[in-house]
Amino acid sequence: MTTSKNVLLVLTSNDDLGGVRKTGYYISEAADPWKVFTDASYNVDIASIKGGVPPEVGRDDEDVTQQAFLSNPHVAEQLMNTTALADVDTTAYDAIFFVGGHGTMWDFPTDPSVNLAGHKVYESGGIVSAVCHGPAALVNMTLSDGSYIVNGKRVAGFTNDEEEAAGLTEIVPFLLADTLTQRGATHIPGPSFVENVVVDGRLITGQNPQSATGVAEAIVKMLSES
């Protein structure tokens, strides 16, 4: 008898891209993993940093997966009023997935609930995962011994070249790849805007929006083998 797995998607609550324009979570980076997880009959819940309606970017009304995600009753109900991450019992989840979007660069590294949530999932034997700018959640995440969760780990994340291509090198508060490296990680860059998923134990990361499905597939594979 198999038991359904539980996955928590975490979204940014920040809608300000350094005063340049509005930002938020990147819809495809939530929708694509959601499809993989629901196809695997997993339970998928959604939280955001502050709760309420999360800001979004990248809506594509022609994208079938996005439309299925946004119109799904369980998803739509949650997105109307997400639970604040601090109010979620993350020990109930087999995996936590930090969804990207530039908004994450401001609130993921600084909100205490991010550190606590990832810490709890990881140290209870669960998977910590993130895609694109989602690994901003990892730059200040520490374990019980005080070490950074990425220290000594291979990781992927939005590269400096990709940030330059987006024209936002001077706008973001830090360069994600450089900061992950400063925390003791080995950042593994792939070609710009091409899928790149890195699995190092129970830490699974993806480089860009093109990697969101692959990260979710890696999670499903790992949980099916556990």
Side-chain angles (χ1 to χ4, degrees), residues 6 8 11 44 65-66 89 101 109 115 123 130 159-160 168 205 208 217 220:
N6 301 307
L8 180 68
L11 312 179
V44 183
T65 301
Q66 280 195 28
D89 177 11
N115 182 32
E123 295 200 339
T159 67
N160 292 352
L168 295 170
T205 48
N208 42 38
E217 290 172 343
V220 170

Side-chain angles (χ1 to χ4, degrees), residues 120-217:
K120 283 184 174 180
V121 171
Y122 195 77
E123 295 200 339
S124 64
I127 296 169
V128 171
S129 61
V131 70
C132 197
H133 287 91
L138 308 177
V139 300
N140 291 323
M141 189 178 292
T142 55
L143 302 175
S144 291
D145 63 3
S147 65
Y148 290 111
I149 192 171
V150 297
N151 185 41
K153 295 287 198 302
R154 299 166 68 253
V155 299
F158 207 63
T159 67
N160 292 352
D161 286 346
E162 288 170 324
E163 203 67 83
E164 184 175 353
L168 295 170
T169 300
E170 303 301 323
I171 304 301
V172 290
F174 59 92
L175 290 175
L176 181 56
D178 289 355
T179 305
L180 289 167
T181 300
Q182 291 166 10
R183 299 296 190 257
T186 300
H187 180 256
I188 309 295
S192 293
F193 305 108
V194 174
E195 179 182 354
N196 177 31
V197 176
V198 175
V199 179
D200 194 332
R202 289 179 290 103
L203 187 65
I204 302 177
T205 48
Q207 179 173 315
N208 42 38
Q210 292 78 9
S211 307
T213 293
V215 172
E217 290 172 343

Side-chain angles (χ1 to χ4, degrees), residues 13-47:
S13 292
N14 173 49
D15 69 353
D16 179 20
L17 183 56
V20 174
R21 59 176 182 265
K22 293 296 184 181
T23 186
Y25 82 94
Y26 203 68
I27 295 176
S28 69
E29 294 175 25
D32 292 348
W34 168 84
K35 184 179 189 305
V36 173
F37 296 138
T38 54
D39 285 351
S41 299
Y42 287 8
N43 301 312
V44 183
D45 291 327
I46 302 171

Side-chain angles (χ1 to χ4, degrees), residues 53-86:
V53 179
E56 64 177 44
V57 289
R59 182 183 284 254
D60 180 358
D61 291 333
E62 302 301 315
D63 187 286
V64 174
T65 301
Q66 280 195 28
Q67 292 312 301
F69 173 74
L70 294 169
S71 63
N72 177 270
H74 183 58
V75 171
E77 181 181 9
Q78 292 185 87
L79 289 177
M80 285 175 61
N81 187 20
T82 56
T83 302
L85 183 58

Side-chain angles (χ1 to χ4, degrees), residues 49 85-86 107-119 140-142:
I49 301 302
L85 183 58
D107 60 358
F108 274 15
T110 58
D111 194 281
S113 68
V114 170
N115 182 32
L116 185 60
H119 172 120
N140 291 323
M141 189 178 292
T142 55

